[in-house]
Amino acid sequence: MRLGLLTGGGDCPGLNAVIRAVVRRADAGGDTVLGIKDGWGGLVQGEVEPLTRLAVSGILSRGGTILGSSRTNPFRDGDSGERCSANLRRYALEALVAVGGDDTLGAALEFSKRGEKVVGVPKTIDNDVGATDYTFGFDTAVHIATEAIDRLHTTAEAHSRVMVVEVMGRHTGWIAAYAGIAGGAHCILVPEKPVDLGRVCDVIERRRKRGRHFSIVVVAEGVRLSETRGYVVQEETPDAYGHVRLGGIGHVIAREIESRTGIETRVTILGHVQRGGSPTAYDRILATRLGVAAVDMVRAGEFGKMPALRGDRIVPVPLADAIAHPKRLPPEILDVAETFFG
Ligand code: F6P
């Protein structure tokens, strides 16, 4: 069998581990893999390259994706969807494995509805894809953000400052909550819960009265100050999937904290640092298991689905379940986080 493989959307540590696993599993069963460059964009253009065992040698620990990625939406412009299907035939690809977040998986589902043989693989540092317990990349991002929070503690304490740390998380606060809990943040603000700046300032004031003159506030980029106020964005023009580029809510919150408490406040926006570099062992293992499972699902004819982590098992789930809603933080995680506020 000949499989096509693409990685779409924002990159994430562990993508190369999936690519290696797909190629190795396919090769072990006598199947071949063609890599499609730059996500759906490469399928529209017909840009492919053979993925041999040699081509994937040494990539397990590397961040990024050797295939490249893009936010191309194959169903947005003219006949791009038809061109993708035509290229699947042109290269005699009998099935396609599409690795991505909700947007890429949504496009994979659409191709599947049109009769193409597609298996998805969930990825995102945001951990907000539904129907799976965790996505690879998330653990690495949490490690990076936790290390940053640890470092910010010492400089915050030295200067008696408030440090606002902005992390990624467009729809959900998984990175903020996990890194905030792991890093001992004094307040964590997530999109799942309305922001109460009065409460944030009370926490900071109470700490000051106890002689703790510094505080760490972690905020997810997708936090809004109220239901009616929009996102803080870096770029208003939406991408091909309708998403604006978020970033900067940390500055808005920091200004408010400084003016209400009078405490000098600084902002750190971690940004793409969270998506770069080598994946953790956990992410390498999860990504490897998913890549192996994806090939097995192709062989079993389980199309329109993706392998998902449920407990400690990898199971096939419908793509429709994965993209139905962003997977939000469960209330018990928020409860754990709030126990340590102040
Ligand atoms: O989807 C993952 C994500 O990391 C979001 O948290 C973030 O808003 C977005 O990607 C940024 O993507 P880029 O700037 O690469 O388009």
Side-chain angles (χ1 to χ4, degrees):
M1 196 170 8
R2 260 160 84 87
L3 309 183
L5 174 62
L6 64 81
T7 54
D11 74 324
C12 140
L15 283 169
N16 283 325
V18 178
I19 295 169
R20 170 179 172 269
V22 166
V23 171
R24 294 291 295 269
R25 188 65 157 191
D27 184 72
D31 296 323
T32 55
V33 183
L34 228 52
I36 296 160
K37 299 293 290 176
D38 303 331
W40 297 114
L43 194 54
V44 176
Q45 302 300 333
E47 289 169 6
V48 299
E49 64 185 26
L51 283 179
T52 58
R53 277 186 66 142
L54 184 62
V56 300
S57 169
I59 65 171
L60 173 62
S61 60
R62 273 171 56 190
T65 158
I66 59 164
L67 289 175
S69 193
S70 72
R71 293 195 185 273
T72 301
N73 181 345
F75 297 108
R76 207 177 84 131
D77 303 318
D79 63 349
S80 295
E82 287 73 28
R83 288 172 65 189
C84 287
S85 291
N87 279 326
L88 289 174
R89 314 273 166 267
R90 176 176 164 206
Y91 293 106
L93 294 171
E94 289 150 88
L96 176 67
V97 175
V99 190
D102 51 355
D103 297 329
T104 303
L105 297 176
L109 175 61
E110 182 55 33
F111 278 116
S112 173
K113 286 180 181 162
R114 294 176 178 211
E116 304 299 352
K117 293 179 174 170
V118 187
V119 166
V121 174
K123 69 91 222 184
T124 167
I125 66 162
D126 291 358
N127 198 38
D128 61 355
V129 172
T132 186
D133 292 351
Y134 291 100
T135 45
F136 67 84
F138 171 61
D139 186 64
T140 307
V142 169
H143 270 73
I144 294 166
T146 302
E147 202 208 327
I149 294 168
D150 287 347
R151 289 175 184 277
L152 289 167
H153 259 91
T154 59
T155 172
E157 189 165 15
H159 288 269
S160 299
R161 283 172 174 160
V162 175
M163 289 287 180
V164 175
V165 192
E166 182 180 313
V167 297
M168 280 187 172
R170 175 176 288 280
H171 308 292
T172 61
W174 285 95
I175 299 174
Y178 271 54
I181 292 169
H186 308 110
C187 255
I188 302 169
L189 302 174
V190 295
E192 286 88 339
K193 188 141 192 191
V195 172
D196 181 349
L197 277 179
R199 186 171 172 221
V200 174
C201 293
D202 282 352
V203 163
I204 293 166
E205 294 287 9
R206 279 205 309 273
R207 283 178 54 76
R208 179 158 62 176
K209 286 192 187 115
R210 290 203 312 272
R212 307 299 278 156
H213 293 276
F214 74 100
S215 292
I216 307 282
V217 178
V218 179
V219 56
E221 64 179 357
V223 158
R224 290 181 297 167
L225 281 190
S226 71
E227 294 278 314
T228 49
R229 282 178 73 171
Y231 294 108
V232 178
V233 300
Q234 292 185 56
E235 172 60 59
E236 299 271 358
T237 315
D239 68 14
Y241 291 91
H243 306 304
V244 290
R245 180 136 48 90
L246 301 180
I249 182 67
H251 286 292
V252 178
I253 285 169
R255 274 196 298 274
E256 282 290 326
I257 290 173
E258 193 167 273
S259 82
R260 292 186 195 197
T261 64
I263 302 176
E264 200 177 21
T265 303
R266 294 282 193 269
V267 184
T268 300
I269 299 180
L270 291 184
H272 294 81
V273 158
Q274 293 160 97
R275 292 212 319 233
S278 188
T280 58
Y282 179 90
D283 281 338
R284 294 180 202 187
I285 293 164
L286 177 56
T288 298
R289 292 178 74 193
L290 293 173
V292 166
V295 174
D296 292 350
M297 284 170 62
V298 167
R299 287 178 177 149
E302 301 243 35
F303 299 117
K305 297 183 185 176
M306 66 176 200
L309 182 69
R310 295 280 178 85
D312 55 11
R313 296 186 54 227
I314 303 288
V315 295
V317 299
L319 285 172
D321 293 356
I323 61 163
H325 314 282
K327 183 185 65 196
R328 301 197 186 282
L329 269 174
E332 57 266 38
I333 297 292
L334 288 171
D335 183 45
V336 169
E338 289 190 13
T339 305
F340 300 94
F341 284 8

